[in-house]
Amino acid sequence: MSLKAGIVGLPNVGKSTLFNAITKKNILAANYPFATIDPNVGMVTVPDERLQFLEDLYLPKSTVPTTFEFTDIAGLVKGASKGEGLGNKFLSHIREVDAIVEVVRCFDDPNITHVEGKTDPIRDMEIINVELILADLEIIENRLNKIVKKAETTKDKEAVAEVAVLTKAKENLEKNIPLRLVEFSEEEKALMKNFSFITLKPLIYVANVLEDDVVLGENDYTKLVSEYAKKEQAGVIVMCCKMESELSELNDDDKKLFLQELGINSSGLDRLIFATYSLLGLETFFTAGSDECRAWTFKKGANAKSCAGLIHSDIERGFIKAEVMSFDDLYTYKSELKVKEAGKLRLEGKDYLMQDGDIVYFRFNV
């Protein structure tokens, strides 16, 4: 599963500090624009208490959590769509991700330079969102210039349909409406797929605050971000990226103790990972036994046969049946035998739609 999320934002808002926390890598997080020149890529482990339960129950030789990819992309500035800053390079990198995590500065600190002079989260969000809209508009206009004449002269059905959907997209973008908020049919989405439109990608905001605001969970700036995000049907995670980076250096016990002392149930980083995982439309199934307990990532709506292929292509090719029990049932009955005795173990065919938390044994023959 190669889906990835890209971390974006203006320079010096906390992107690289957040990435440090996510991957526990010490990349350059300097107090000047463009400290991150090339996108830094790292895999993040998805924390899942269910996997810990399976490990305690089966005592396997190995335990493998599920992961997905985060990319830290160089800071964007006003005029990026026209090549300002690292504009074209930034835009090419962001087109490659599946979801966007936009970091917004929600704190005042005279010691950290703000590229626009002072803290104003709405202005910052609009700078980025307008640049992304302009970048998509440029793609559309270039394509329409090439295809409109063909559609008019040949009446080619595919060309006519493409012109129609691109015109629809253009009209909305010109009203500052990102494409993810526009309703498209499945056929229209298929026609747009090859363009990698940035504003079509799902988005979540990270409101980066100072440590003192973490316990409160908000400040005047984050309230503005939340109101703005609500209009965009986007989520918001409030966190202190600096604190999360420091927390990532602690072991799990010390981290839990620190959070308990602050009166916080879960770290901002964990909440961001869960939110992004969901934003990408991802869910988890498990395989469990004495050799290995493992979490597998699948796209919501995938069937049993395609999920078998995530383990090995031979299992998908020779798929016979899937033995399935839900995690909740195993948690309740505490053993596979008792789950089976309770009639909760099921045999499912290749078209069974996998559910989050399914524990599966695939029967196959090749």
Side-chain angles (χ1 to χ4, degrees):
M1 186 63 60
S2 59
L3 294 179
K4 57 186 175 181
I7 305 172
V8 305
L10 294 177
N12 297 340
V13 297
K15 299 183 317 303
S16 296
T17 304
L18 174 59
F19 186 80
N20 283 341
I22 284 174
T23 62
K24 299 186 181 179
K25 289 183 180 178
N26 188 27
I27 62 167
L28 179 62
N31 180 25
Y32 55 87
F34 315 129
T36 310
I37 302 300
D38 293 313
N40 295 273
V41 179
M43 299 302 294
V44 60
T45 297
V46 181
D48 197 325
E49 292 180 355
R50 296 174 298 183
L51 189 60
Q52 182 62 56
F53 173 84
L54 294 176
E55 183 178 20
D56 294 340
L57 183 65
Y58 287 93
L59 302 175
K61 295 173 185 174
S62 66
T63 301
V64 184
T66 190
T67 61
F68 67 96
E69 194 172 291
F70 268 99
T71 302
D72 178 33
I73 299 172
L76 177 147
V77 294
K78 189 184 294 183
S81 60
K82 302 300 180 186
E84 293 294 324
L86 298 171
N88 294 331
K89 197 169 187 181
F90 172 96
L91 295 168
S92 67
H93 289 149
I94 197 173
R95 289 192 193 282
E96 295 170 4
V97 304
D98 301 286
I100 299 170
V101 176
E102 186 173 322
V103 182
V104 186
R105 179 166 164 173
C106 291
F107 64 88
D108 295 313
D109 187 337
N111 297 316
I112 300 178
T113 305
H114 194 297
V115 71
E116 289 294 322
K118 67 175 185 177
T119 306
D120 184 342
I122 301 303
R123 176 206 59 213
D124 294 354
M125 295 159 84
E126 289 183 343
I127 285 173
I128 289 182
N129 295 345
V130 165
E131 291 301 328
L132 301 186
I133 282 173
L134 290 173
D136 279 353
L137 271 172
E138 184 178 5
I139 295 287
I140 290 173
E141 286 166 357
N142 288 341
R143 180 59 180 165
L144 285 175
N145 287 338
K146 293 177 181 177
I147 199 172
V148 165
K149 196 168 185 179
K150 177 185 176 183
E152 289 175 346
T153 56
T154 67
K155 305 299 181 185
D156 177 80
K157 285 185 179 180
E158 193 169 313
V160 170
E162 187 176 331
V163 167
V165 71
L166 291 178
T167 302
K168 177 179 175 179
K170 182 173 182 284
E171 289 171 352
N172 280 279
L173 289 170
E174 287 175 340
K175 297 174 187 174
N176 282 334
I177 301 172
L179 297 181
R180 64 181 165 273
L181 298 184
V182 181
E183 192 172 325
F184 293 104
S185 68
E186 291 304 315
E187 292 77 11
E188 288 174 326
K189 289 177 184 177
L191 287 168
M192 297 168 70
K193 197 171 184 180
N194 294 331
F195 295 101
S196 298
F197 289 127
I198 300 171
T199 65
L200 199 55
K201 301 178 189 296
L203 170 73
I204 190 168
Y205 290 104
V206 168
N208 186 17
V209 301
L210 297 175
E211 290 185 36
D212 291 344
D213 292 323
V214 171
V215 177
L216 296 175
E218 63 178 12
N219 61 27
D220 290 342
Y221 291 136
T222 66
K223 290 175 185 175
L224 294 173
V225 171
S226 294
E227 289 172 10
Y228 186 97
K230 192 178 293 183
K231 296 174 186 174
E232 289 203 325
Q233 298 172 28
V236 178
I237 302 291
V238 177
M239 71 164 73
C240 173
C241 295
K242 181 175 180 290
M243 188 180 84
E244 295 294 334
S245 184
E246 292 167 353
L247 276 173
S248 70
E249 300 299 321
L250 303 178
N251 62 43
D252 288 344
D253 290 339
D254 288 343
K255 180 179 171 183
K256 285 179 182 177
L257 183 61
F258 181 84
L259 292 173
Q260 285 173 0
E261 289 174 352
L262 290 178
I264 300 173
N265 293 326
S266 61
S267 72
L269 182 53
D270 283 351
R271 287 185 284 114
L272 175 62
I273 291 170
F274 284 129
T276 309
Y277 196 70
S278 176
L279 192 68
L280 286 165
L282 304 179
E283 293 185 329
T284 304
F285 75 87
F286 303 93
T287 51
S290 57
D291 284 337
E292 180 185 78
C293 286
R294 183 163 183 163
W296 300 87
T297 299
F298 69 97
K299 192 81 172 174
K300 187 174 182 178
N303 62 31
K305 186 177 180 182
S306 65
C307 285
L310 297 174
I311 300 174
H312 199 286
S313 58
D314 284 349
I315 302 178
E316 181 177 17
R317 185 162 53 89
F319 182 95
I320 299 173
K321 289 285 183 181
E323 293 182 10
V324 184
M325 59 181 163
S326 74
F327 173 83
D328 289 344
D329 286 336
L330 183 60
Y331 184 81
T332 299
Y333 292 102
K334 301 297 186 287
S335 79
E336 284 188 28
L337 180 60
K338 289 182 180 177
V339 170
K340 190 173 183 179
E341 289 174 347
K344 300 291 186 178
L345 184 67
R346 314 184 308 275
L347 278 180
E348 301 287 359
K350 63 182 180 180
D351 295 326
Y352 167 71
L353 297 183
M354 295 286 284
Q355 302 297 309
D356 185 61
D358 278 348
I359 301 168
V360 190
Y361 172 76
F362 292 106
R363 296 182 185 177
F364 69 102
N365 183 36
V366 290

